[in-house]
Amino acid sequence: MMRAFSDTLWRRPRLTIALLLAPPLIWLGVVYLGALAALLAQSFFSIDHFTGQVNRDLTLATYAELLRASNLDIILRTVTMAALVTLASAVIAFPIAWYAARHARGRWKALFYLGVMMPLWSSYLVKVYSWKLILAREGILTWGAEKLHLAWALNGWLALPVVGGNSLSVSATGTFVVFVYVWLPYMILPVQAALERVPPSMLEASGDLGAKPFQTLRHVLLPLAMPGVVAGSIFTFSLTLGDYIIPGIIGSSRRFIGQAVYEQQGVAGNTPLAAAFAMVPILIMAAYLWAAKKQGAFNAL
Amino acid sequence: MSAVSFDGVSRHFGPVRAVDAVSLDIAEGEFFAMLGPSGSGKTTCLRLIAGFERPSAGVIRLFGAAVQDQPPYRRPVNTVFQDYALFPHLNVRDNVAYGLMIAGQNRADRHRAADEALEMVRLSGYGARKPSALSGGQRQRVALARALVMKPRVLLLDEPLGALDLKLREQMQDELKTLQRQLGITFIFVTHDQGEALSMADRVAVFNEGRILQTGTPETVYFRPDVPFVADFVGSSNILPAPLVARLTGTHAAAALRPEALRIADAGPLRATVTALSFLGTATRVVLEAEGTRLTALLAKGAPRPAPGDTVALAWDAGDLHLMAGA
């Protein structure tokens, strides 16, 4: 019986693939895409503000509400934060990934993986609360700045509008720092994988043809690493767009999309508006990927 | 003035002496081959000229100027890489124009120059394709065009024909030779294929274990090897051990005897037993054993063919037995 079964699989490779893919495809189709469709549908409903009941007639009223100044503010703030976090992660990740891909061997490579992955082993909440202590007015950063006689710089920065606040832990700067810290491994790993696939001879060829190291970086290495950077930025960008815990613990009282979704569907009970908010990151990511493809980010794949 | 000169150049990787005190002079306009087995240091020598490696000791001169402290992008040499190293994100024309783009040439000029270079390697009309859409031979020619468009004074080729099939390889050998004669620039190429080295180069340096054992014209290294390694590596000469040569000639030294110089005769100085025969098309290869030494003879078409197990007499012209210094 088993033998006949495995012989059949051997003769019909397509059947094998179909059997292997069916469970994940069903899961993806029903649970993920289904939920997404339900979400999309919700966003076209509206809420009766007197009764608090969801009105199941299709309308664009919820989207109109989304475009109110205070809500647009939330969207703009979240997108700006996600873009800055992504940019900073890419800039910090690149040299680390480069070192790991090109220079680290044996034990150093193991150390690199350990260093990148270890923060992922501990709870995200523990890390965020640790940062709350680090960034607090009584925390090590303020202390260090004082010892280095740089307190004026820190206070100057905190006095700035938008990015500043009473202390780093209640400023947008703090939110930014923690976002970068928490999502950095998701940028390093794909960039490292992309850099590892670039043959050393490619860089030598560039130098051989007269390119100085910086020109090689710009004309050869960055284009070839782009698929990795884009893959990493999908993580950092979308994770920042959707997160509601970090800005809730660290940062000013100005809200982000994730917090808005949380409040609208929980406290306020306005599921349609929450759904409309949730559509924003999805649309932004779709536009981002489309633009990246247009720019040729995946040409080297 | 020599195009390239090495003066006591070494390159060590930890305890490994990849290149060990090599001195070398390559004349301007020469087609020079670096021949040797893998790990013999020939590729490291090429990389030292290009600037991808720095010597642990010694001086490297290009046209008289010491360059061992100069990065690759300052040296008047260009390289055709073994794996071609074409940029996958650029099309063929932009690959060829890359060096000119770096040099700051405007788009129209560099594209014109790239198209001319592509024409020279007979790839006109392929400019808009991606390297991934080309065959191995075509990629190789793009790599060649990309290096030549820079008008280097020395062109370095690392196993340029290694990845091509036999027919393409022979065709490219002829093309490279013609190209080198037309352009008149110095070509230095690395190969482990002795046939390729002998047929293309003006001069050959034979490498082993990080050292150059012999440098000379193809005829010299083929017919008058200095040491047994060269005799064996360049065309698999028979090497007669010193005691046997002493008995045959009176001189105590190892000697090289080309397979094609051996004849099966009615009478001769050496008797041997035939152990195997193989038909090669233009000739028959005969493996023999004489006094504990394994010998190979190449019999021309039409010569009488012995059978395995036969005992035959071997003869050769006295001038073909080449005595060697190192034993």
Side-chain angles (χ1 to χ4, degrees), chain B residues 56-81:
Chain B
S56 311
V59 182
I60 300 172
R61 289 194 181 81
L62 290 177
F63 303 96
V67 295
Q68 67 272 10
D69 295 326
Q70 279 182 11
Y73 50 86
R74 295 203 198 288
R75 301 191 187 193
V77 302
N78 287 106
T79 307
V80 175
F81 289 82

Side-chain angles (χ1 to χ4, degrees), chain A residues 201-202 204-213 215 219-220 223-224, chain B residues 47 52 73 78-79 81 83 85-89 98-99 102 146 150:
Chain A
S201 65
M202 213 75 89
E204 288 174 350
S206 174
D208 190 67
L209 293 164
K212 298 185 179 71
Q215 292 172 308
H219 294 294
V220 179
L224 293 179
Chain B
R47 294 171 58 79
F52 306 137
Y73 50 86
N78 287 106
T79 307
F81 289 82
D83 62 356
L86 300 178
F87 305 125
H89 58 296
Y98 182 85
I102 292 295
R146 185 177 67 174
M150 300 303 290

